[in-house]
Amino acid sequence: MRLFNSDCFTYRNNELYCEEIPAALIAENYGTPVYVYSKKFFTDRYKEFTEAFSEINHRVFFASKSNFNLNVIKIFADLGAGIDVNSAGELYRAKKAGVNPKDMLFSGVGKTAEEIKEAIENNVLILKAESLGEAHLINKLAGDLGKIAPIAFRVNPDVNPETHPYISTGLAENKFGISSDDTIAIFKEADALPNLDVCGIDMHIGSQITKISPYVEAVQKMAELFLKLTSDGIELKHFDIGGGMGITYDNETPFTPKELAKELVPIFKTLDCEILFEPGRSLTANGGVLLSEVLYTKKNNQKNFIVADAAMTDLLRPSIYGAYHHIQPAKIYDRNDITADIVGPVCESGDFLAKDREITISEPGELLSIMSAGAYGQVMASNYNARRRPPEIIIDGDKHYSTRSRETFEHLLFDEVIVDDLHR
Ligand code: LLP
């Protein structure tokens, strides 16, 4: 079978290591399933990204929805990144990680009045507005608080990012942003409102995008709008291209930040403003794995099954997007390969981590490593079947740190009570 090796996850003497630590040691210390992240990966990817755009005035805001572990947020913030938050909950987490809201963007297609107030009171750098109605509400709430709210409109540039339909956001059929046809009129109306500082234009066309062309097409459209708006007297300070840069899960060959910069920097140079980026997955996904123990193996007259202790509750992506995550044994034995479904313990046929996957024969008690799990893994985990969400361990060289422990059964009940009156 194919083995994924990277500079942070490597095999030595047939054993998987994360940086200097054997995967088996993590499983032994913390149990399974367990998320394991490499600090070096996060650091290297962030530096690679920001260095690629060093020629222009820019700033990278880590999209914390991809991995909102407090220590992961702090690693990026300490490197100089801002943080993109998508809800009051993410704002709260980023603050707990020590991030000043002045270094945060507040995104989201359906912010509540509570969330908008929270963002204004905290003085976030920019609040995104996704409709004129939202801009009016922000204006009103800012007025009530005696403040001027800095806003950017998210424009839907109507380009096809050529990715999974569930994570495509920049097509006219998607719910996100304002239509590019209405952009000028909407910006003008909002700019006239007394409590708004309309300071940015924003896009995010989708996620897991592996081709540069949709970015070029969208950025060109948005750059035209930017120039028209500024020539009409709207003082835009920021142009935000969102995130969405794709990664290798299987055999995709995504562009590098340098390649993206080569195409986009010439367009950005025509705009007199700061360029903002909101990458999530490309900074985190391949810096994490989910380790899981094989519980049982079995076969029927059609299929082999490997029943692992990780489930859709721990890593949902295969179930909801049919997403590919490479799975490989943490220890390599000289055995044959089989084709098997790798499934979890949850009572759903949709609970699988891989279907018809070629993998070396595994035995109960052995450890599997589910790759590319550093983004949209733990953040999408649930307690279905009253399962406890897994711990998160960060490796830094030859050190391992538990940043979050496995939930306890008490955790699962902390907000529930037996109401005696109901049972009289
Ligand atoms: N900015 C905005 C406004 C976004 O909505 C997103 C992702 C990002 C930035 C970061 O995108 P990234 O660089 O991570 O692709 N759960 C799905 C992904 C949903 C992405 C939602 N928005 C998955 O597991 O593939």
Side-chain angles (χ1 to χ4, degrees):
M1 67 169 297
R2 268 187 311 159
L3 293 178
F4 271 34
N5 261 301
S6 65
D7 44 350
C8 300
F9 292 95
T10 45
Y11 282 89
R12 298 186 200 162
N13 299 323
N14 292 326
E15 266 211 70
L16 181 67
Y17 277 67
C18 173
E19 300 193 22
E20 303 303 319
I21 303 283
L25 182 95
I26 298 299
E28 230 167 74
N29 278 356
Y30 303 101
T32 54
V34 56
Y35 276 99
V36 186
Y37 307 132
S38 157
K39 180 178 177 190
K40 177 175 160 43
F41 182 93
F42 299 155
T43 309
D44 289 355
R45 290 291 83 72
Y46 172 79
K47 288 186 177 162
E48 180 190 13
F49 197 96
T50 191
E51 276 160 21
F53 289 92
S54 57
E55 281 188 69
I56 54 162
N57 177 15
H58 78 282
R59 183 143 190 226
V60 178
F61 288 77
F62 167 58
S64 60
K65 62 170 72 72
S66 69
N67 187 326
F68 55 43
N69 178 292
L70 296 181
N71 293 272
V72 173
I73 293 176
K74 185 162 168 50
I75 286 171
F76 287 114
D78 287 350
L79 288 164
I83 305 296
D84 172 49
V85 301
N86 201 64
S87 66
E90 285 186 4
L91 174 71
Y92 178 76
R93 293 188 79 89
K95 273 172 66 176
K96 284 280 176 202
V99 182
N100 186 329
K102 281 199 161 58
D103 295 314
M104 293 183 204
L105 308 176
F106 198 110
S107 308
V109 72
K111 296 174 215 74
T112 63
E114 259 336 286
E115 289 182 305
I116 293 171
K117 269 197 243 164
E118 188 76 13
I120 298 173
E121 278 173 337
N122 276 282
N123 299 317
V124 298
L125 182 69
I126 299 174
L127 251 167
K128 314 274 191 66
E130 299 224 9
S131 66
L132 190 53
E134 188 182 358
H136 277 283
L137 179 60
I138 299 173
N139 177 60
K140 178 182 175 306
L141 297 172
D144 294 347
L145 293 167
K147 294 209 178 200
I148 304 287
I151 71 157
F153 275 105
R154 175 167 175 179
V155 177
N156 182 335
D158 196 15
V159 300
N160 186 355
E162 297 177 42
T163 184
H164 190 288
Y166 284 11
I167 51 176
S168 150
T169 54
L171 279 167
E173 68 192 58
N174 300 132
K175 68 180 174 184
F176 298 96
I178 59 172
S179 146
S180 43
D181 298 338
D182 305 332
T183 298
I184 306 285
I186 288 181
F187 267 80
K188 283 190 174 159
E189 184 167 337
D191 198 43
L193 296 174
N195 308 314
L196 296 184
D197 170 19
V198 182
C199 62
I201 187 164
D202 171 74
M203 65 180 235
H204 171 77
I205 54 175
S207 201
Q208 183 51 12
I209 300 169
T210 52
K211 289 189 188 155
I212 293 185
S213 48
Y215 282 101
V216 175
E217 194 188 332
V219 168
Q220 267 163 351
K221 278 194 184 177
M222 299 278 293
E224 277 170 33
L225 287 169
F226 180 97
L227 292 170
K228 173 89 182 82
L229 288 165
T230 46
S231 74
D232 283 358
I234 298 176
E235 288 172 29
L236 298 179
K237 296 197 278 287
H238 311 278
F239 182 120
D240 181 342
I241 81 155
M245 298 80 190
I247 62 135
T248 303
Y249 283 103
D250 182 7
N251 43 27
E252 304 89 338
T253 48
F255 52 83
T256 62
K258 250 195 176 154
E259 286 164 344
L260 184 66
K262 188 164 172 270
E263 297 295 323
L264 297 186
V265 163
I267 313 176
F268 292 148
K269 280 189 170 163
T270 64
L271 311 172
D272 182 20
C273 71
E274 185 179 39
I275 307 297
L276 312 184
F277 300 91
E278 301 167 1
R281 182 191 322 261
S282 58
L283 302 182
T284 50
N286 278 327
V289 301
L290 175 63
L291 298 177
S292 174
E293 188 180 304
V294 175
L295 298 176
Y296 305 101
T297 59
K298 59 183 182 178
K299 64 178 176 186
N300 62 21
N301 54 8
Q302 278 191 23
K303 279 192 173 233
N304 293 302
F305 293 96
I306 297 174
V307 184
D309 65 1
M312 64 190 292
T313 49
D314 306 303
L315 182 69
L316 184 61
R317 304 190 71 259
S319 297
I320 60 168
Y321 312 118
Y324 183 98
H325 281 260
H326 199 67
I327 302 182
Q328 55 198 30
K331 192 166 168 70
I332 305 298
Y333 297 96
D334 187 15
R335 299 182 189 148
N336 291 338
D337 287 351
I338 51 168
T339 301
D341 281 9
I342 302 164
V343 300
V346 164
C347 55
E348 302 260 353
S349 295
D351 178 27
F352 60 88
L353 300 163
K355 289 247 177 196
D356 298 319
R357 184 65 60 81
E358 191 179 301
I359 184 161
T360 305
I361 292 174
S362 304
E363 303 289 348
E366 291 175 1
L367 199 58
L368 298 177
S369 178
I370 303 152
M371 309 306 284
S372 313
Y376 306 108
Q378 175 76 312
V379 291
M380 292 172 73
S382 77
N383 296 119
Y384 184 39
N385 277 198
R387 285 172 59 83
R388 293 163 298 161
R389 283 175 295 178
E392 294 180 291
I393 312 304
I394 302 189
I395 312 287
D396 183 13
D398 58 2
K399 304 218 163 33
H400 52 92
Y401 301 97
S402 170
T403 63
R404 174 178 189 160
S405 50
R406 187 179 311 285
E407 281 177 327
T408 63
F409 294 123
E410 289 74 34
H411 276 135
L412 302 192
L413 294 185
F414 94 100
D415 49 3
E416 259 184 87
V417 288
I418 298 261
V419 179
D420 290 337
D421 285 353
L422 261 177
H423 309 286
R424 287 188 207 284

